[in-house]
Amino acid sequence: MAVPVIDFSKINGDEREKTLSEIAKACEEWGFFQLVNHGIPLELLEKVKNLSSECYKTERAEAFKTSTPVKLLNDLLQKNSTEKLENVDWEDNFTLLDHSENEWPCNTSNFKETMVEYRGEVRKLASKMMEVMDENLGLPKGYIKKAFNEGMEDGEETAFFGTKVSHYPPCPHPELVNGLRAHTDAGGVVLLFQDDEYDGLQVLKDGEWIDVQPLPNAIVINTGDQIEVLSNGRYKSAWHRVLARENGNRRSIASFYNPSYKAAIGPPEMTAAAEEGSEKKYPKYVFGDYMDVYANQKFMPKEPRFLAVKTL
């Protein structure tokens, strides 16, 4: 069993219907799939890959040696304990936001310019992917994007768009700590440019953890909790995790297209996503209120979050 790989270049050709169907099936059955021929220039991806690795090596690797997960693992080993660390991740990360350009977290030459260009390309791909989901769900074109951009004026997007640049350094005892604990993503559409050499990312499928195998220059798509709600459960947000590894420094660059914190999110009115006779399976709420719940329940079962959030 392998995570679906879809050639996105065929979305505009004779195989459009087949490609739409492949994406729909991947959203319904996996919540995870890999896109190839997605339109982001390969030269840009190569620059992103090299500069991100350079940033970690020159600006962050030394600090990780004295980070909380390293200290906690060392404490565990000194006690000769074999109990796994369950409340920490063996991960170094920082997040890039639209409004953070004056406080750029990495000083590596050309990193800022490259990541601004990359984020622009990923944002365009996110818009295309949301339109595909609209079509597959029988929603009006632009429905999901509009739902995420509550209060948008003059074309200025209000949706949250962040890029988390992560590295998972070699771990001397990967059996004692998680790379990243199992969770679903809170938001909308996630677009991941992952390491093309080192594995570790896994998705839960039918009770089994499946490797999301490294595929050079692919973009991994996964759906978050808000897509599950907007599809009235047809598309489920998938549980995923990252394993710590003894060898290799795995790179992961995940971009999140999420609703505005003020956006009202709920199942659609009567459409293909909410067939006649089927009840709405999720409440309607403000995304910011959902995030308040998620902040405390990220690594806990998903369903209680929807019950705990304040409804509209």
Side-chain angles (χ1 to χ4, degrees), residues 267-281:
E269 297 308 318
M270 203 53 65
T271 64
E275 291 91 349
E276 187 174 354
S278 71
E279 60 181 283
K280 293 181 180 179
K281 300 173 183 175

Side-chain angles (χ1 to χ4, degrees), residues 42-80:
L42 300 187
E43 317 83 69
L44 177 58
L45 293 178
E46 192 67 22
K47 285 166 65 177
V48 168
K49 180 169 67 174
N50 293 336
L51 290 171
S52 298
S53 297
E54 180 69 15
C55 173
Y56 177 80
K57 188 168 81 172
T58 59
E59 298 186 48
R60 305 187 67 87
E62 196 61 33
F64 187 78
K65 294 176 184 177
T66 56
S67 66
T68 298
V70 173
K71 289 177 182 175
L72 289 175
L73 182 59
N74 287 337
D75 291 346
L76 199 69
L77 294 172
Q78 286 177 2
K79 296 174 187 173
N80 290 320

Side-chain angles (χ1 to χ4, degrees), residues 15 21 30 46 50 64-65 69 98 110 131 160 173 186 191 196 221 230 237 240 245 247 250 255 261 285 305 307:
E15 296 184 55
S21 177
W30 285 83
E46 192 67 22
N50 293 336
F64 187 78
K65 294 176 184 177
D98 287 340
N110 293 322
E131 287 187 357
F160 174 91
H173 291 275
L191 304 96
D196 55 10
I221 306 290
L230 285 171
S237 58
H240 54 286
R245 296 295 202 202
N247 299 306
R250 181 178 173 272
S255 296
Y261 270 54
Y285 52 79
R305 297 178 210 153
L307 299 175

